[in-house]
Amino acid sequence: MLHKRPALQTFSGISIAGIQDKRFDIVIQDGRFSSVVELEPQLEEPAHPDQRLWISPGIIDLHTHLAWTDFDHDDQLKRSSREIEAMQADAFAATLRTGVTTARDAGGILPSTIRHLVQHYLQPLRVQTSSDMLGAADARGIQHLGARMAQIFDTGAGWIKIMATGGLGAPAEKVVEPNFSEEEFAFIVRNAHAHHKKVLVHTWGGVTIDWSTQAGVESIEHGMFLSEAQAGRLAEAGVAFVPTTSIYRIAADPKGVLGLNPVICDRAARAAEAHAKAIGYAKKAGVCIGFGTDYATPALHGYNLQELDTLMEYGLTRAEAWKSATESAAGILGSGNELGRIAEGYIADAVIYNADPYQARNAEQLRSSIVSVMTGAQESDLIK
Ligand SMILES: [Zn+2]
């Protein structure tokens, strides 16, 4: 159930996910938490266990592709525009239903499309986007890049996405080779920042991680071949790491929902293997880790919580995995003062559960414990 911008809503004796043995009275007014008060410890159990509720901040997915309908872009081109739009609307709905109230789209969706889907399909998902991506085909010098970026700025995107290396489409020995010259890369970041845009960098590893640190981008994505030394420098520079771990395990499974060919599955398996190590380095160095799924097809939208399971399997504690999807993610978006926490004055993006989310065995159990998803905004607030 989706609950949009409550005018007045109160919860008595509700538990906040991750805070043990405490209950709270929470009041929401006009889509914001107006009071969050801890209750006096009580001698007897106040509510029947069946009536206990838990609340967590709305999940923030920092790496989605909400406009894509197929793994292979050529397949999307075979669909009618009406079919594509309906599938995109379904992606918005499925994403919200699973508790993701904010997404950063890592390429493919325009602000105008977001506004249309929010308004026309009544899905108040908060989305920041990078519109179009800068990739290998744009490595044609500063002048070309400046013109391309001007087009992207014109769409109203808040982010610039740099495809700094290849991905699953590239053979293992080539995958960390840079798509741009160092000069081009530095120009993109400088020009984006000069226009008050943030920068996210797709990089599997290698020298483009160092360029990202030097240029001071906001986040690097995937980064499975991150080295221990690079992790230390990321932490020092305050560059966030959005590893998108679960997608590579899904892609590695030839019988999985993506059903990819054996060559791609093999590349994904190697990426997944490296990821656990990268997470270990990042955690040890104190890098800010952000939750992102890279989910891009109907079989994956709505299953975003799976990323929590993989992050924990790769070494994050449950609290660290949740933080990556709430407080840290909000910080990476530049919204740390109003999103990602259950606290007075914060936007009431939240998920209500009928079981302790910190006890969930896995994403599936967590998902099935969701009673409702609340958004602090209604559609009209998001399309201003
Ligand atoms: Zn992506």
Side-chain angles (χ1 to χ4, degrees), residues 5-28:
R5 197 177 192 273
L8 182 65
Q9 166 98 40
T10 59
F11 294 98
S12 306
I14 195 168
S15 303
I16 296 179
I19 302 181
Q20 293 293 314
D21 306 323
K22 286 183 183 164
R23 304 289 185 91
F24 297 83
D25 278 349
I26 293 178
V27 182
I28 294 155

PDB file of all heavy atoms in Angstrom, residues 5-28:
ATOM      1  N   ARG A   5       2.151  11.527   1.033  1.00  0.00           N
ATOM      2  CA  ARG A   5       2.167  12.782   1.766  1.00  0.00           C
ATOM      3  C   ARG A   5       1.032  12.900   2.789  1.00  0.00           C
ATOM      4  O   ARG A   5       0.093  13.688   2.610  1.00  0.00           O
ATOM      5  CB  ARG A   5       2.074  13.972   0.803  1.00  0.00           C
ATOM      6  CG  ARG A   5       2.494  15.279   1.445  1.00  0.00           C
ATOM      7  CD  ARG A   5       2.453  16.408   0.421  1.00  0.00           C
ATOM      8  NE  ARG A   5       3.100  17.601   0.925  1.00  0.00           N
ATOM      9  CZ  ARG A   5       2.492  18.532   1.643  1.00  0.00           C
ATOM     10  NH1 ARG A   5       1.224  18.414   1.967  1.00  0.00           N
ATOM     11  NH2 ARG A   5       3.166  19.588   2.061  1.00  0.00           N
ATOM     12  N   PRO A   6       1.146  12.121   3.888  1.00  0.00           N
ATOM     13  CA  PRO A   6       0.089  12.193   4.895  1.00  0.00           C
ATOM     14  C   PRO A   6      -0.028  13.611   5.456  1.00  0.00           C
ATOM     15  O   PRO A   6       0.988  14.237   5.770  1.00  0.00           O
ATOM     16  CB  PRO A   6       0.576  11.240   5.993  1.00  0.00           C
ATOM     17  CG  PRO A   6       1.679  10.445   5.386  1.00  0.00           C
ATOM     18  CD  PRO A   6       2.245  11.249   4.258  1.00  0.00           C
ATOM     19  N   ALA A   7      -1.270  14.093   5.559  1.00  0.00           N
ATOM     20  CA  ALA A   7      -1.500  15.407   6.169  1.00  0.00           C
ATOM     21  C   ALA A   7      -1.262  15.296   7.670  1.00  0.00           C
ATOM     22  O   ALA A   7      -0.638  16.153   8.280  1.00  0.00           O
ATOM     23  CB  ALA A   7      -2.916  15.881   5.887  1.00  0.00           C
ATOM     24  N   LEU A   8      -1.779  14.213   8.252  1.00  0.00           N
ATOM     25  CA  LEU A   8      -1.533  13.950   9.673  1.00  0.00           C
ATOM     26  C   LEU A   8      -1.585  12.446   9.897  1.00  0.00           C
ATOM     27  O   LEU A   8      -2.558  11.783   9.545  1.00  0.00           O
ATOM     28  CB  LEU A   8      -2.591  14.633  10.542  1.00  0.00           C
ATOM     29  CG  LEU A   8      -2.380  14.436  12.048  1.00  0.00           C
ATOM     30  CD1 LEU A   8      -1.101  15.107  12.533  1.00  0.00           C
ATOM     31  CD2 LEU A   8      -3.579  14.962  12.827  1.00  0.00           C
ATOM     32  N   GLN A   9      -0.499  11.923  10.457  1.00  0.00           N
ATOM     33  CA  GLN A   9      -0.435  10.478  10.709  1.00  0.00           C
ATOM     34  C   GLN A   9       0.362  10.275  11.984  1.00  0.00           C
ATOM     35  O   GLN A   9       1.410  10.891  12.173  1.00  0.00           O
ATOM     36  CB  GLN A   9       0.267   9.814   9.520  1.00  0.00           C
ATOM     37  CG  GLN A   9       0.720   8.393   9.759  1.00  0.00           C
ATOM     38  CD  GLN A   9      -0.263   7.390   9.215  1.00  0.00           C
ATOM     39  OE1 GLN A   9      -0.815   7.575   8.153  1.00  0.00           O
ATOM     40  NE2 GLN A   9      -0.515   6.336   9.969  1.00  0.00           N
ATOM     41  N   THR A  10      -0.156   9.440  12.874  1.00  0.00           N
ATOM     42  CA  THR A  10       0.607   9.178  14.102  1.00  0.00           C
ATOM     43  C   THR A  10       0.835   7.680  14.255  1.00  0.00           C
ATOM     44  O   THR A  10      -0.005   6.868  13.868  1.00  0.00           O
ATOM     45  CB  THR A  10      -0.134   9.680  15.356  1.00  0.00           C
ATOM     46  OG1 THR A  10      -1.396   9.028  15.421  1.00  0.00           O
ATOM     47  CG2 THR A  10      -0.333  11.176  15.324  1.00  0.00           C
ATOM     48  N   PHE A  11       1.980   7.332  14.811  1.00  0.00           N
ATOM     49  CA  PHE A  11       2.290   5.951  15.170  1.00  0.00           C
ATOM     50  C   PHE A  11       2.612   5.936  16.654  1.00  0.00           C
ATOM     51  O   PHE A  11       3.466   6.706  17.111  1.00  0.00           O
ATOM     52  CB  PHE A  11       3.504   5.440  14.386  1.00  0.00           C
ATOM     53  CG  PHE A  11       3.277   5.327  12.907  1.00  0.00           C
ATOM     54  CD1 PHE A  11       3.705   6.338  12.050  1.00  0.00           C
ATOM     55  CD2 PHE A  11       2.641   4.211  12.366  1.00  0.00           C
ATOM     56  CE1 PHE A  11       3.508   6.234  10.683  1.00  0.00           C
ATOM     57  CE2 PHE A  11       2.440   4.111  11.003  1.00  0.00           C
ATOM     58  CZ  PHE A  11       2.871   5.118  10.159  1.00  0.00           C
ATOM     59  N   SER A  12       1.942   5.074  17.423  1.00  0.00           N
ATOM     60  CA  SER A  12       2.198   4.995  18.865  1.00  0.00           C
ATOM     61  C   SER A  12       2.963   3.721  19.173  1.00  0.00           C
ATOM     62  O   SER A  12       2.555   2.636  18.766  1.00  0.00           O
ATOM     63  CB  SER A  12       0.890   4.975  19.648  1.00  0.00           C
ATOM     64  OG  SER A  12       0.110   6.085  19.283  1.00  0.00           O
ATOM     65  N   GLY A  13       4.086   3.873  19.855  1.00  0.00           N
ATOM     66  CA  GLY A  13       4.848   2.699  20.279  1.00  0.00           C
ATOM     67  C   GLY A  13       5.450   1.923  19.122  1.00  0.00           C
ATOM     68  O   GLY A  13       5.595   0.708  19.172  1.00  0.00           O
ATOM     69  N   ILE A  14       5.825   2.622  18.068  1.00  0.00           N
ATOM     70  CA  ILE A  14       6.429   1.948  16.906  1.00  0.00           C
ATOM     71  C   ILE A  14       7.941   1.811  17.137  1.00  0.00           C
ATOM     72  O   ILE A  14       8.550   2.630  17.844  1.00  0.00           O
ATOM     73  CB  ILE A  14       6.123   2.729  15.598  1.00  0.00           C
ATOM     74  CG1 ILE A  14       6.411   1.865  14.362  1.00  0.00           C
ATOM     75  CG2 ILE A  14       6.905   4.048  15.541  1.00  0.00           C
ATOM     76  CD1 ILE A  14       5.873   2.456  13.061  1.00  0.00           C
ATOM     77  N   SER A  15       8.534   0.760  16.584  1.00  0.00           N
ATOM     78  CA  SER A  15       9.987   0.577  16.683  1.00  0.00           C
ATOM     79  C   SER A  15      10.651   1.145  15.442  1.00  0.00           C
ATOM     80  O   SER A  15      10.101   1.055  14.341  1.00  0.00           O
ATOM     81  CB  SER A  15      10.326  -0.910  16.790  1.00  0.00           C
ATOM     82  OG  SER A  15       9.678  -1.491  17.901  1.00  0.00           O
ATOM     83  N   ILE A  16      11.829   1.724  15.634  1.00  0.00           N
ATOM     84  CA  ILE A  16      12.599   2.211  14.484  1.00  0.00           C
ATOM     85  C   ILE A  16      13.628   1.145  14.122  1.00  0.00           C
ATOM     86  O   ILE A  16      14.353   0.657  15.000  1.00  0.00           O
ATOM     87  CB  ILE A  16      13.289   3.556  14.806  1.00  0.00           C
ATOM     88  CG1 ILE A  16      12.228   4.634  15.067  1.00  0.00           C
ATOM     89  CG2 ILE A  16      14.208   3.971  13.664  1.00  0.00           C
ATOM     90  CD1 ILE A  16      12.792   6.003  15.425  1.00  0.00           C
ATOM     91  N   ALA A  17      13.675   0.774  12.853  1.00  0.00           N
ATOM     92  CA  ALA A  17      14.585  -0.281  12.401  1.00  0.00           C
ATOM     93  C   ALA A  17      16.009   0.013  12.866  1.00  0.00           C
ATOM     94  O   ALA A  17      16.510   1.117  12.662  1.00  0.00           O
ATOM     95  CB  ALA A  17      14.544  -0.389  10.879  1.00  0.00           C
ATOM     96  N   GLY A  18      16.633  -0.972  13.491  1.00  0.00           N
ATOM     97  CA  GLY A  18      18.021  -0.830  13.912  1.00  0.00           C
ATOM     98  C   GLY A  18      18.195  -0.299  15.317  1.00  0.00           C
ATOM     99  O   GLY A  18      19.317  -0.283  15.830  1.00  0.00           O
ATOM    100  N   ILE A  19      17.110   0.151  15.955  1.00  0.00           N
ATOM    101  CA  ILE A  19      17.211   0.624  17.349  1.00  0.00           C
ATOM    102  C   ILE A  19      16.521  -0.410  18.241  1.00  0.00           C
ATOM    103  O   ILE A  19      15.300  -0.554  18.221  1.00  0.00           O
ATOM    104  CB  ILE A  19      16.569   2.016  17.525  1.00  0.00           C
ATOM    105  CG1 ILE A  19      17.240   3.020  16.583  1.00  0.00           C
ATOM    106  CG2 ILE A  19      16.691   2.479  18.983  1.00  0.00           C
ATOM    107  CD1 ILE A  19      16.702   4.432  16.672  1.00  0.00           C
ATOM    108  N   GLN A  20      17.335  -1.124  18.977  1.00  0.00           N
ATOM    109  CA  GLN A  20      16.826  -2.231  19.792  1.00  0.00           C
ATOM    110  C   GLN A  20      16.140  -1.732  21.052  1.00  0.00           C
ATOM    111  O   GLN A  20      16.577  -0.752  21.659  1.00  0.00           O
ATOM    112  CB  GLN A  20      17.995  -3.138  20.230  1.00  0.00           C
ATOM    113  CG  GLN A  20      18.657  -3.888  19.096  1.00  0.00           C
ATOM    114  CD  GLN A  20      17.739  -4.919  18.475  1.00  0.00           C
ATOM    115  OE1 GLN A  20      17.090  -5.675  19.185  1.00  0.00           O
ATOM    116  NE2 GLN A  20      17.649  -4.926  17.151  1.00  0.00           N
ATOM    117  N   ASP A  21      15.094  -2.435  21.464  1.00  0.00           N
ATOM    118  CA  ASP A  21      14.483  -2.253  22.791  1.00  0.00           C
ATOM    119  C   ASP A  21      13.985  -0.849  23.074  1.00  0.00           C
ATOM    120  O   ASP A  21      13.965  -0.419  24.213  1.00  0.00           O
ATOM    121  CB  ASP A  21      15.490  -2.650  23.906  1.00  0.00           C
ATOM    122  CG  ASP A  21      16.018  -4.050  23.699  1.00  0.00           C
ATOM    123  OD1 ASP A  21      15.231  -4.901  23.262  1.00  0.00           O
ATOM    124  OD2 ASP A  21      17.222  -4.272  23.937  1.00  0.00           O
ATOM    125  N   LYS A  22      13.629  -0.138  22.049  1.00  0.00           N
ATOM    126  CA  LYS A  22      13.052   1.191  22.278  1.00  0.00           C
ATOM    127  C   LYS A  22      11.819   1.346  21.401  1.00  0.00           C
ATOM    128  O   LYS A  22      11.767   0.802  20.307  1.00  0.00           O
ATOM    129  CB  LYS A  22      14.059   2.294  21.947  1.00  0.00           C
ATOM    130  CG  LYS A  22      15.155   2.428  22.991  1.00  0.00           C
ATOM    131  CD  LYS A  22      16.094   3.556  22.675  1.00  0.00           C
ATOM    132  CE  LYS A  22      17.215   3.599  23.712  1.00  0.00           C
ATOM    133  NZ  LYS A  22      18.337   4.410  23.275  1.00  0.00           N
ATOM    134  N   ARG A  23      10.870   2.109  21.923  1.00  0.00           N
ATOM    135  CA  ARG A  23       9.657   2.397  21.156  1.00  0.00           C
ATOM    136  C   ARG A  23       9.502   3.906  21.042  1.00  0.00           C
ATOM    137  O   ARG A  23       9.992   4.649  21.898  1.00  0.00           O
ATOM    138  CB  ARG A  23       8.417   1.842  21.868  1.00  0.00           C
ATOM    139  CG  ARG A  23       8.472   0.362  22.160  1.00  0.00           C
ATOM    140  CD  ARG A  23       8.339  -0.439  20.873  1.00  0.00           C
ATOM    141  NE  ARG A  23       8.281  -1.862  21.195  1.00  0.00           N
ATOM    142  CZ  ARG A  23       7.156  -2.528  21.410  1.00  0.00           C
ATOM    143  NH1 ARG A  23       5.997  -1.908  21.329  1.00  0.00           N
ATOM    144  NH2 ARG A  23       7.183  -3.804  21.701  1.00  0.00           N
ATOM    145  N   PHE A  24       8.788   4.303  20.029  1.00  0.00           N
ATOM    146  CA  PHE A  24       8.660   5.732  19.754  1.00  0.00           C
ATOM    147  C   PHE A  24       7.208   6.098  19.425  1.00  0.00           C
ATOM    148  O   PHE A  24       6.462   5.278  18.886  1.00  0.00           O
ATOM    149  CB  PHE A  24       9.551   6.128  18.571  1.00  0.00           C
ATOM    150  CG  PHE A  24      11.018   5.920  18.837  1.00  0.00           C
ATOM    151  CD1 PHE A  24      11.606   4.669  18.662  1.00  0.00           C
ATOM    152  CD2 PHE A  24      11.811   6.971  19.294  1.00  0.00           C
ATOM    153  CE1 PHE A  24      12.957   4.467  18.921  1.00  0.00           C
ATOM    154  CE2 PHE A  24      13.163   6.780  19.549  1.00  0.00           C
ATOM    155  CZ  PHE A  24      13.738   5.516  19.367  1.00  0.00           C
ATOM    156  N   ASP A  25       6.878   7.320  19.752  1.00  0.00           N
ATOM    157  CA  ASP A  25       5.657   7.926  19.223  1.00  0.00           C
ATOM    158  C   ASP A  25       6.106   8.870  18.111  1.00  0.00           C
ATOM    159  O   ASP A  25       6.950   9.747  18.334  1.00  0.00           O
ATOM    160  CB  ASP A  25       4.914   8.719  20.311  1.00  0.00           C
ATOM    161  CG  ASP A  25       4.075   7.796  21.184  1.00  0.00           C
ATOM    162  OD1 ASP A  25       3.909   6.609  20.818  1.00  0.00           O
ATOM    163  OD2 ASP A  25       3.598   8.259  22.231  1.00  0.00           O
ATOM    164  N   ILE A  26       5.539   8.658  16.953  1.00  0.00           N
ATOM    165  CA  ILE A  26       5.977   9.436  15.786  1.00  0.00           C
ATOM    166  C   ILE A  26       4.772  10.143  15.175  1.00  0.00           C
ATOM    167  O   ILE A  26       3.728   9.527  14.964  1.00  0.00           O
ATOM    168  CB  ILE A  26       6.643   8.509  14.738  1.00  0.00           C
ATOM    169  CG1 ILE A  26       7.959   7.948  15.322  1.00  0.00           C
ATOM    170  CG2 ILE A  26       6.903   9.250  13.430  1.00  0.00           C
ATOM    171  CD1 ILE A  26       8.680   6.974  14.410  1.00  0.00           C
ATOM    172  N   VAL A  27       4.935  11.423  14.921  1.00  0.00           N
ATOM    173  CA  VAL A  27       3.868  12.188  14.276  1.00  0.00           C
ATOM    174  C   VAL A  27       4.398  12.740  12.946  1.00  0.00           C
ATOM    175  O   VAL A  27       5.517  13.259  12.871  1.00  0.00           O
ATOM    176  CB  VAL A  27       3.395  13.363  15.169  1.00  0.00           C
ATOM    177  CG1 VAL A  27       2.237  14.108  14.486  1.00  0.00           C
ATOM    178  CG2 VAL A  27       2.984  12.869  16.543  1.00  0.00           C
ATOM    179  N   ILE A  28       3.578  12.576  11.932  1.00  0.00           N
ATOM    180  CA  ILE A  28       3.922  13.099  10.599  1.00  0.00           C
ATOM    181  C   ILE A  28       2.880  14.144  10.223  1.00  0.00           C
ATOM    182  O   ILE A  28       1.680  13.901  10.345  1.00  0.00           O
ATOM    183  CB  ILE A  28       3.919  11.957   9.570  1.00  0.00           C
ATOM    184  CG1 ILE A  28       5.066  10.982   9.903  1.00  0.00           C
ATOM    185  CG2 ILE A  28       4.067  12.487   8.153  1.00  0.00           C
ATOM    186  CD1 ILE A  28       4.815   9.600   9.399  1.00  0.00           C
TER     187      ILE A  28
END
